[in-house]
PDB file of all heavy atoms in Angstrom:
ATOM      1  N   GLN A 334     122.048 -33.952  94.788  1.00 96.00           N
ATOM      2  CA  GLN A 334     120.736 -33.386  94.512  1.00 96.00           C
ATOM      3  C   GLN A 334     120.736 -31.933  94.959  1.00 96.00           C
ATOM      4  O   GLN A 334     121.141 -31.640  96.086  1.00 96.00           O
ATOM      5  CB  GLN A 334     119.650 -34.164  95.282  1.00 96.00           C
ATOM      6  CG  GLN A 334     118.244 -33.644  95.044  1.00 96.00           C
ATOM      7  CD  GLN A 334     117.256 -34.166  96.085  1.00 96.00           C
ATOM      8  OE1 GLN A 334     117.340 -33.822  97.252  1.00 96.00           O
ATOM      9  NE2 GLN A 334     116.317 -34.980  95.655  1.00 96.00           N
ATOM     10  N   GLN A 335     120.325 -31.036  94.073  1.00 92.00           N
ATOM     11  CA  GLN A 335     120.239 -29.632  94.458  1.00 92.00           C
ATOM     12  C   GLN A 335     118.792 -29.164  94.406  1.00 92.00           C
ATOM     13  O   GLN A 335     118.130 -29.271  93.378  1.00 92.00           O
ATOM     14  CB  GLN A 335     121.083 -28.741  93.552  1.00 92.00           C
ATOM     15  CG  GLN A 335     121.092 -27.285  94.041  1.00 92.00           C
ATOM     16  CD  GLN A 335     121.703 -26.321  93.065  1.00 92.00           C
ATOM     17  OE1 GLN A 335     122.010 -26.665  91.928  1.00 92.00           O
ATOM     18  NE2 GLN A 335     121.886 -25.100  93.518  1.00 92.00           N
ATOM     19  N   THR A 336     118.316 -28.677  95.544  1.00 88.00           N
ATOM     20  CA  THR A 336     116.984 -28.066  95.611  1.00 88.00           C
ATOM     21  C   THR A 336     117.136 -26.680  96.216  1.00 88.00           C
ATOM     22  O   THR A 336     118.105 -26.417  96.934  1.00 88.00           O
ATOM     23  CB  THR A 336     116.024 -28.916  96.480  1.00 88.00           C
ATOM     24  OG1 THR A 336     116.647 -29.147  97.753  1.00 88.00           O
ATOM     25  CG2 THR A 336     115.723 -30.241  95.824  1.00 88.00           C
ATOM     26  N   PRO A 337     116.196 -25.770  95.926  1.00 79.00           N
ATOM     27  CA  PRO A 337     116.310 -24.409  96.453  1.00 79.00           C
ATOM     28  C   PRO A 337     116.428 -24.402  97.968  1.00 79.00           C
ATOM     29  O   PRO A 337     115.656 -25.058  98.669  1.00 79.00           O
ATOM     30  CB  PRO A 337     115.002 -23.750  95.999  1.00 79.00           C
ATOM     31  CG  PRO A 337     114.590 -24.524  94.803  1.00 79.00           C
ATOM     32  CD  PRO A 337     115.026 -25.942  95.071  1.00 79.00           C
ATOM     33  N   GLY A 338     117.422 -23.688  98.485  1.00 71.00           N
ATOM     34  CA  GLY A 338     117.585 -23.547  99.926  1.00 71.00           C
ATOM     35  C   GLY A 338     118.298 -24.706 100.604  1.00 71.00           C
ATOM     36  O   GLY A 338     118.622 -24.621 101.784  1.00 71.00           O
ATOM     37  N   GLN A 339     118.541 -25.790  99.894  1.00 75.00           N
ATOM     38  CA  GLN A 339     119.171 -26.970 100.498  1.00 75.00           C
ATOM     39  C   GLN A 339     120.595 -27.189 100.027  1.00 75.00           C
ATOM     40  O   GLN A 339     121.249 -28.138 100.455  1.00 75.00           O
ATOM     41  CB  GLN A 339     118.354 -28.234 100.192  1.00 75.00           C
ATOM     42  CG  GLN A 339     117.019 -28.272 100.873  1.00 75.00           C
ATOM     43  CD  GLN A 339     117.141 -28.324 102.372  1.00 75.00           C
ATOM     44  OE1 GLN A 339     117.926 -29.075 102.933  1.00 75.00           O
ATOM     45  NE2 GLN A 339     116.389 -27.467 103.062  1.00 75.00           N
ATOM     46  N   GLY A 340     121.064 -26.363  99.137  1.00 82.00           N
ATOM     47  CA  GLY A 340     122.421 -26.566  98.650  1.00 82.00           C
ATOM     48  C   GLY A 340     122.539 -27.859  97.892  1.00 82.00           C
ATOM     49  O   GLY A 340     121.574 -28.341  97.291  1.00 82.00           O
ATOM     50  N   LEU A 341     123.713 -28.440  97.922  1.00 90.00           N
ATOM     51  CA  LEU A 341     123.964 -29.705  97.244  1.00 90.00           C
ATOM     52  C   LEU A 341     123.964 -30.813  98.282  1.00 90.00           C
ATOM     53  O   LEU A 341     124.807 -30.845  99.170  1.00 90.00           O
ATOM     54  CB  LEU A 341     125.313 -29.679  96.517  1.00 90.00           C
ATOM     55  CG  LEU A 341     125.361 -29.060  95.124  1.00 90.00           C
ATOM     56  CD1 LEU A 341     125.145 -27.561  95.194  1.00 90.00           C
ATOM     57  CD2 LEU A 341     126.687 -29.372  94.455  1.00 90.00           C
ATOM     58  N   GLN A 342     123.026 -31.715  98.150  1.00 92.00           N
ATOM     59  CA  GLN A 342     122.937 -32.842  99.070  1.00 92.00           C
ATOM     60  C   GLN A 342     123.591 -34.052  98.420  1.00 92.00           C
ATOM     61  O   GLN A 342     123.222 -34.453  97.318  1.00 92.00           O
ATOM     62  CB  GLN A 342     121.465 -33.148  99.373  1.00 92.00           C
ATOM     63  CG  GLN A 342     120.693 -31.968  99.965  1.00 92.00           C
ATOM     64  CD  GLN A 342     121.074 -31.688 101.390  1.00 92.00           C
ATOM     65  OE1 GLN A 342     121.121 -32.585 102.217  1.00 92.00           O
ATOM     66  NE2 GLN A 342     121.381 -30.436 101.686  1.00 92.00           N
ATOM     67  N   PHE A 343     124.537 -34.635  99.130  1.00 92.00           N
ATOM     68  CA  PHE A 343     125.316 -35.761  98.609  1.00 92.00           C
ATOM     69  C   PHE A 343     124.459 -37.021  98.569  1.00 92.00           C
ATOM     70  O   PHE A 343     123.828 -37.393  99.555  1.00 92.00           O
ATOM     71  CB  PHE A 343     126.538 -35.966  99.501  1.00 92.00           C
ATOM     72  CG  PHE A 343     127.363 -37.174  99.182  1.00 92.00           C
ATOM     73  CD1 PHE A 343     128.207 -37.194  98.086  1.00 92.00           C
ATOM     74  CD2 PHE A 343     127.292 -38.290  99.992  1.00 92.00           C
ATOM     75  CE1 PHE A 343     128.978 -38.316  97.804  1.00 92.00           C
ATOM     76  CE2 PHE A 343     128.057 -39.409  99.726  1.00 92.00           C
ATOM     77  CZ  PHE A 343     128.905 -39.422  98.635  1.00 92.00           C
ATOM     78  N   LEU A 344     124.462 -37.675  97.415  1.00 95.00           N
ATOM     79  CA  LEU A 344     123.711 -38.931  97.261  1.00 95.00           C
ATOM     80  C   LEU A 344     124.629 -40.128  97.460  1.00 95.00           C
ATOM     81  O   LEU A 344     124.407 -40.938  98.358  1.00 95.00           O
ATOM     82  CB  LEU A 344     123.072 -38.991  95.869  1.00 95.00           C
ATOM     83  CG  LEU A 344     121.790 -38.180  95.712  1.00 95.00           C
ATOM     84  CD1 LEU A 344     121.590 -37.747  94.288  1.00 95.00           C
ATOM     85  CD2 LEU A 344     120.597 -39.000  96.180  1.00 95.00           C
ATOM     86  N   PHE A 345     125.616 -40.269  96.604  1.00 93.00           N
ATOM     87  CA  PHE A 345     126.585 -41.360  96.727  1.00 93.00           C
ATOM     88  C   PHE A 345     127.774 -41.105  95.813  1.00 93.00           C
ATOM     89  O   PHE A 345     127.735 -40.249  94.937  1.00 93.00           O
ATOM     90  CB  PHE A 345     125.988 -42.743  96.415  1.00 93.00           C
ATOM     91  CG  PHE A 345     124.832 -42.759  95.443  1.00 93.00           C
ATOM     92  CD1 PHE A 345     124.999 -42.387  94.122  1.00 93.00           C
ATOM     93  CD2 PHE A 345     123.572 -43.149  95.869  1.00 93.00           C
ATOM     94  CE1 PHE A 345     123.941 -42.393  93.240  1.00 93.00           C
ATOM     95  CE2 PHE A 345     122.501 -43.165  94.995  1.00 93.00           C
ATOM     96  CZ  PHE A 345     122.676 -42.788  93.689  1.00 93.00           C
ATOM     97  N   GLU A 346     128.833 -41.877  96.085  1.00 92.00           N
ATOM     98  CA  GLU A 346     130.049 -41.796  95.283  1.00 92.00           C
ATOM     99  C   GLU A 346     130.446 -43.205  94.862  1.00 92.00           C
ATOM    100  O   GLU A 346     130.372 -44.150  95.661  1.00 92.00           O
ATOM    101  CB  GLU A 346     131.202 -41.180  96.079  1.00 92.00           C
ATOM    102  CG  GLU A 346     132.491 -41.080  95.263  1.00 92.00           C
ATOM    103  CD  GLU A 346     133.754 -41.077  96.108  1.00 92.00           C
ATOM    104  OE1 GLU A 346     133.657 -41.213  97.339  1.00 92.00           O
ATOM    105  OE2 GLU A 346     134.844 -40.926  95.527  1.00 92.00           O
ATOM    106  N   TYR A 347     130.868 -43.321  93.612  1.00 93.00           N
ATOM    107  CA  TYR A 347     131.382 -44.580  93.108  1.00 93.00           C
ATOM    108  C   TYR A 347     132.830 -44.414  92.687  1.00 93.00           C
ATOM    109  O   TYR A 347     133.211 -43.392  92.109  1.00 93.00           O
ATOM    110  CB  TYR A 347     130.540 -45.081  91.925  1.00 93.00           C
ATOM    111  CG  TYR A 347     129.219 -45.639  92.370  1.00 93.00           C
ATOM    112  CD1 TYR A 347     128.120 -44.801  92.545  1.00 93.00           C
ATOM    113  CD2 TYR A 347     129.068 -46.987  92.677  1.00 93.00           C
ATOM    114  CE1 TYR A 347     126.913 -45.301  92.989  1.00 93.00           C
ATOM    115  CE2 TYR A 347     127.861 -47.489  93.123  1.00 93.00           C
ATOM    116  CZ  TYR A 347     126.790 -46.636  93.288  1.00 93.00           C
ATOM    117  OH  TYR A 347     125.592 -47.123  93.742  1.00 93.00           O
ATOM    118  N   PHE A 348     133.601 -45.420  92.999  1.00 91.00           N
ATOM    119  CA  PHE A 348     135.011 -45.434  92.624  1.00 91.00           C
ATOM    120  C   PHE A 348     135.343 -46.847  92.182  1.00 91.00           C
ATOM    121  O   PHE A 348     135.138 -47.801  92.941  1.00 91.00           O
ATOM    122  CB  PHE A 348     135.891 -45.007  93.806  1.00 91.00           C
ATOM    123  CG  PHE A 348     137.366 -45.027  93.515  1.00 91.00           C
ATOM    124  CD1 PHE A 348     137.948 -43.997  92.798  1.00 91.00           C
ATOM    125  CD2 PHE A 348     138.166 -46.070  93.954  1.00 91.00           C
ATOM    126  CE1 PHE A 348     139.302 -44.014  92.517  1.00 91.00           C
ATOM    127  CE2 PHE A 348     139.517 -46.086  93.690  1.00 91.00           C
ATOM    128  CZ  PHE A 348     140.090 -45.063  92.968  1.00 91.00           C
ATOM    129  N   SER A 349     135.853 -46.970  90.974  1.00 90.00           N
ATOM    130  CA  SER A 349     136.198 -48.283  90.420  1.00 90.00           C
ATOM    131  C   SER A 349     135.052 -49.277  90.591  1.00 90.00           C
ATOM    132  O   SER A 349     135.249 -50.394  91.098  1.00 90.00           O
ATOM    133  CB  SER A 349     137.480 -48.826  91.080  1.00 90.00           C
ATOM    134  OG  SER A 349     138.576 -48.029  90.715  1.00 90.00           O
ATOM    135  N   GLU A 350     133.863 -48.853  90.202  1.00 93.00           N
ATOM    136  CA  GLU A 350     132.650 -49.687  90.162  1.00 93.00           C
ATOM    137  C   GLU A 350     132.093 -50.048  91.538  1.00 93.00           C
ATOM    138  O   GLU A 350     131.138 -50.830  91.632  1.00 93.00           O
ATOM    139  CB  GLU A 350     132.894 -50.975  89.356  1.00 93.00           C
ATOM    140  CG  GLU A 350     133.333 -50.720  87.921  1.00 93.00           C
ATOM    141  CD  GLU A 350     133.591 -52.008  87.157  1.00 93.00           C
ATOM    142  OE1 GLU A 350     132.627 -52.756  86.926  1.00 93.00           O
ATOM    143  OE2 GLU A 350     134.764 -52.260  86.787  1.00 93.00           O
TER     144      GLU A 350
END
Side-chain angles (χ1 to χ4, degrees):
Chain A
Q334 180 196 67
Q335 185 190 8
T336 53
Q339 292 296 315
L341 276 69
Q342 302 287 311
F343 174 76
L344 281 153
F345 28 65
E346 180 206 3
Y347 285 86
F348 179 79
S349 293
E350 302 179 66

